[in-house]
């Protein structure tokens, strides 16, 4: 299988992982081991569309620069390799390695093809590596967990060490039932049923790619909660694919949610905004976290696309990018415990800003920033004191009649990202859109961290309280940035552009 498609790198991001060639979707098997972060991913090694699903592989030592590696786990005549996770089996519980050389073990979904005896089923399987992820062997005893289901997939495995004991826990989905099912194991090969969670909150699409992890609240190790991530498609808050999360407890057997607004299969459309969302944009899906990340950090990556139009995005020779890596924490904000997120800064710390403004009145109209503040790859940190009414915000990736509008409506308290005039939106009827999230001002101020790359905008509002991630496909020369307000009275407290 060879690829002959020409490679067009026009929209190829600088700071977001893409496969050198061909299709990618979900991040898989995120694991840190021996100084290296491993990013595996759903990949078609032979084409620019979804198909031949295998695990592609990339490695990094800093979460910023990724080196593509050979395909790690390949599909064959019997099975496609669907999403899953990987663990460093430190105690060699699986016996795939030795005490001195513990194996990396991937737990993936075998999506069996009609040619297989298990044709039509999805079941969980193992592959292992004893050379730091360079080569992988499928376990001869696969599958290790089969429920005779056609929609049982996306296993996320983690080590539980708590009051109930010490063992591996798998969370996976019965996708069409909108259920997360939990299992436990001593050796990763034999699994025992623990419990089922769901359906709850958003149920407007199949549940996929779950994750479950514990985090301290406001950094207090004595006060922890568990976060259950459930991606769903369609049925996300902005339309199409999206990720929701629940906060609660896990006793080693069952996850109990403290944030369920509506239970059962019938979601309440009028209460969608009350559910917990990982992102309020269109392009942050299948987000899961790294296993074994150093310093107890919880680092997540999402596929920066959406099943509604992901197959049609206008790139040639490659298709699909990962989000920036995000560190997630639990914090008490406005009397509620919520997930807050911060990008791992692609500029690697705090390089000098190319352009800075401070304490500047923001009058009605459009204020163009100078060329030092423009570009297709930028980080913009801005703190605004919007006027008491009307809209205030930024115009991004402007030029050639194109603009992406990030606006705050003071009357409604709503931040919106409008990509209707962002550039090429024609490739799919569902692409042109406006995303919205309610964001309260803090002390009258709105703080935004904006990451622009060649085909994306990621916004972190109020120190990561809400995020908006959208793909955009502007012309390369659409690089201007402006501030705007529709009435006088606002202030730019601070603005820094890094490029
Ligand atoms: C999510 C998903 C998973 C599945 C994979 C197949 O985007 O549909 O449920 O394992 O993609 O590529």
């Amino acid at each position: 299988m060879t690829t002959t498609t020409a490679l067009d790198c026009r929209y190829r991001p600088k700071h977001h992982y893409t496969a050198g060639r061909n299709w990618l979707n979900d991040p898989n098997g995120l694991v840190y081991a021996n100084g290296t972060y491993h990013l595996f991913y759903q990949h078609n090694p032979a084409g620019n569309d979804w198909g031949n699903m295998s695990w592609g592989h990339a490695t990094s030592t800093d979460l910023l620069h990724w080196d593509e590696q050979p395909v790690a786990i390949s599909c064959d005549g019997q099975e496609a390799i669907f999403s899953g996770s990987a663990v460093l089996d430190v105690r060699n519980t699986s016996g795939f390695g030795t005490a001195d050389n513990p194996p990396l073990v991937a737990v993936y979904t075998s999506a069996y093809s009609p040619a297989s005896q298990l044709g039509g089923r999805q079941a969980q399987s193992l592959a292992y590596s004893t050379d730091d992820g360079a080569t992988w062997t499928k376990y001869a005893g696969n599958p290790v967990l089969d429920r005779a289901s056609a929609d049982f997939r996306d296993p996320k495995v983690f080590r539980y060490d708590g009051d109930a004991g010490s063992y591996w826990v798998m969370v996976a989905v019965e996708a069409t039932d909108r259920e997360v099912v939990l299992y436990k194991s001593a050796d990763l090969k034999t699994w025992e049923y623990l419990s089922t969670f769901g359906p709850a909150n958003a149920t407007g699409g199949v549940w996929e790619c779950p994750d479950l992890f514990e985090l301290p609240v406001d950094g207090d190790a004595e006060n922890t909660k568990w976060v259950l991530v459930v991606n769903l498609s369609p049925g996300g808050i902005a339309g199409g694919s999206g990720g929701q999360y629940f906060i609660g407890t896990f006793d080693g057997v069952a996850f109990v949610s403290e944030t369920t607004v509506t239970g059962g299969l019938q979601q309440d459309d009028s209460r969608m905004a009350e559910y917990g969302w990982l992102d309020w944009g269109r392009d942050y899906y299948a987000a899961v976290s790294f296993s074994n990340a150093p310093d107890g950090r919880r680092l997540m990556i999402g596929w920066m696309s959406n099943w509604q139009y992901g197959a049609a995005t206008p790139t040639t020779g490659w298709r699909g990018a990962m989000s920036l890596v995000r560190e997630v924490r639990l914090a008490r904000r406005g009397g509620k415990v919520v997930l807050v997120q911060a990008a791992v800064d692609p500029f690697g710390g705090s390089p000098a800003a190319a352009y800075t403004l401070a304490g500047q009145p923001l009058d009605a109209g459009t204020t163009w920033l100078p060329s030092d503040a423009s570009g297709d790859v930028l980080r913009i940190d801005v703190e605004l004191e919007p006027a008491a009414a009307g809209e205030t915000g930024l115009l991004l990736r402007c030029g050639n009649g194109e603009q992406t509008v990030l606006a705050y409506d003071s009357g409604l308290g709503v931040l919106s990202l409008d990509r209707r005039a962002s550039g090429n939106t024609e490739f799919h009827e569902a692409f042109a859109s406006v995303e919205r999230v309610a964001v309260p001002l803090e002390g009258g101020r709105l703080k935004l961290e904006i990451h622009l790359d060649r085909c994306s905008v990621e916004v972190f509002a109020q120190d990561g309280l809400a995020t908006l991630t959208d793909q955009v496909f502007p012309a390369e020369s659409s690089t201007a940035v402006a501030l705007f307000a529709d009435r006088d009275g606002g202030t730019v407290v601070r603005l820094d552009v890094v490029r």
Side-chain angles (χ1 to χ4, degrees):
M1 293 186 289
T2 50
T3 312
T4 49
T5 328
L7 194 60
D8 178 349
C9 292
R10 195 168 2 153
Y11 297 120
R12 173 94 76 185
K14 182 171 181 200
H15 290 149
H16 294 76
Y17 181 75
T18 57
R21 278 193 169 274
N22 298 325
W23 168 272
L24 71 69
N25 58 290
D26 311 358
N28 295 153
L30 302 178
V31 63
Y32 176 82
N34 301 323
T36 299
Y37 292 93
H38 295 267
L39 160 62
F40 301 89
Y41 49 91
Q42 289 288 279
H43 184 46
N44 180 357
N48 211 17
D49 298 309
W50 188 88
N52 306 307
M53 294 323 291
S54 300
W55 278 25
H57 184 198
T59 53
S60 173
T61 53
D62 60 6
L63 297 169
L64 302 177
H65 306 91
W66 294 95
D67 295 317
E68 187 165 344
Q69 305 293 341
V71 169
I73 311 175
S74 294
C75 63
D76 58 28
Q78 304 287 303
E79 61 173 5
I81 314 300
F82 275 18
S83 288
S85 53
V87 292
L88 177 63
D89 181 11
V90 185
R91 287 168 236 181
N92 191 30
T93 62
S94 60
F96 291 141
T98 61
D100 292 341
N101 184 29
L104 278 170
V105 181
V107 190
Y108 66 88
T109 297
S110 294
Y112 290 105
S113 57
S116 159
Q117 279 188 347
L118 297 175
R121 285 192 197 180
Q122 296 183 344
Q124 314 323 322
S125 291
L126 307 179
Y128 57 91
S129 171
T130 53
D131 57 6
D132 281 327
T135 59
W136 291 80
T137 307
K138 290 179 183 174
Y139 172 47
N142 284 341
V144 293
L145 182 55
D146 180 6
R147 290 164 51 110
S149 164
D151 287 289
F152 173 40
R153 60 179 178 268
D154 306 342
K156 173 73 197 233
V157 171
F158 66 92
R159 187 78 196 172
Y160 171 80
D161 280 295
D163 293 345
S166 176
Y167 42 82
W168 299 106
V169 172
M170 177 195 296
V171 290
V173 291
E174 278 293 348
T176 49
D177 296 337
R178 282 75 165 158
E179 284 176 355
V180 175
V181 291
L182 289 81
Y183 283 79
K184 75 176 209 183
S185 175
D187 60 4
L188 297 164
K189 294 170 174 163
T190 314
W191 293 91
E192 182 189 325
Y193 174 78
L194 289 176
S195 60
T196 297
F197 174 82
N201 288 0
T203 56
V206 291
W207 280 20
E208 299 185 319
C209 301
D211 198 354
L212 180 61
F213 47 82
E214 187 178 20
L215 284 174
V217 178
D218 288 325
D220 177 3
E222 301 299 308
N223 177 21
T224 66
K225 293 208 177 279
W226 288 76
V227 179
L228 177 68
V229 169
V230 180
N231 290 276
L232 87 161
S233 184
I237 184 68
S241 312
Q244 62 176 329
Y245 69 88
F246 299 85
I247 297 174
T249 57
F250 176 63
D251 62 1
V253 177
F255 173 79
V256 177
S257 166
E258 294 166 0
T259 59
T260 296
V261 178
T262 53
L265 258 182
Q266 196 51 53
Q267 74 179 22
D268 183 342
D269 292 342
S270 71
R271 304 191 70 179
M272 282 284 278
E274 292 172 54
Y275 305 154
W277 294 101
L278 289 178
D279 198 280
W280 297 75
R282 299 286 293 286
D283 296 304
Y284 189 70
Y285 191 57
V288 285
S289 70
F290 275 89
S291 174
N292 199 40
D295 307 320
R297 294 173 88 192
R298 188 53 60 174
L299 302 164
M300 299 184 77
I301 300 180
W303 174 44
M304 201 160 55
S305 196
N306 190 313
W307 283 117
Q308 271 186 343
Y309 48 74
T313 49
T315 57
T316 308
W318 63 279
R319 186 175 281 130
M322 296 299 172
S323 71
L324 293 178
V325 182
R326 298 181 180 189
E327 179 163 6
V328 303
R329 295 189 177 86
L330 285 177
R332 193 168 286 281
R333 295 279 195 94
K336 232 172 95 178
V337 175
V338 292
L339 200 69
V340 293
Q341 309 181 61
V344 172
D345 183 10
F347 290 93
S350 311
Y355 178 76
T356 296
L357 261 183
Q360 194 83 12
L362 186 60
D363 293 331
T366 302
T367 309
W368 291 99
L369 301 189
S371 58
D372 320 7
S374 67
D376 57 353
V377 183
L378 299 176
R379 191 185 90 206
I380 304 173
D381 295 292
V382 60
E383 210 170 328
L384 299 169
E385 242 164 44
E391 285 202 338
T392 312
L394 291 102
L395 307 179
L396 306 165
R397 297 301 308 266
C398 300
N400 309 287
E402 301 169 348
Q403 59 176 20
T404 300
V405 186
L406 181 62
Y408 189 73
D409 185 315
S410 298
L412 299 174
V414 166
L415 180 68
S416 63
L417 183 61
D418 181 347
R419 67 177 177 188
R420 287 174 302 177
S422 59
N424 184 349
T425 60
E426 308 290 289
F427 57 86
H428 194 282
E429 61 187 21
F431 185 77
S433 59
V434 186
E435 280 62 74
R436 294 183 177 85
V437 56
V439 174
L441 295 182
E442 287 170 18
R445 292 181 178 182
L446 175 68
K447 202 168 157 192
L448 302 171
E449 181 179 313
I450 305 160
H451 293 275
L452 299 186
D453 204 338
R454 297 187 178 117
C455 63
S456 61
V457 180
E458 282 154 293
V459 182
F460 294 75
Q462 303 298 44
D463 293 308
L465 179 64
T467 67
L468 281 165
T469 302
D470 266 5
Q471 295 181 89
V472 289
F473 298 96
E476 279 166 285
S477 56
S478 297
T479 56
V481 179
L483 288 157
F484 76 92
D486 63 9
R487 60 199 75 190
D488 291 343
T491 306
V492 183
V493 180
R494 185 182 59 87
L495 176 127
D496 291 310
V497 180
V498 177
R499 57 174 207 173

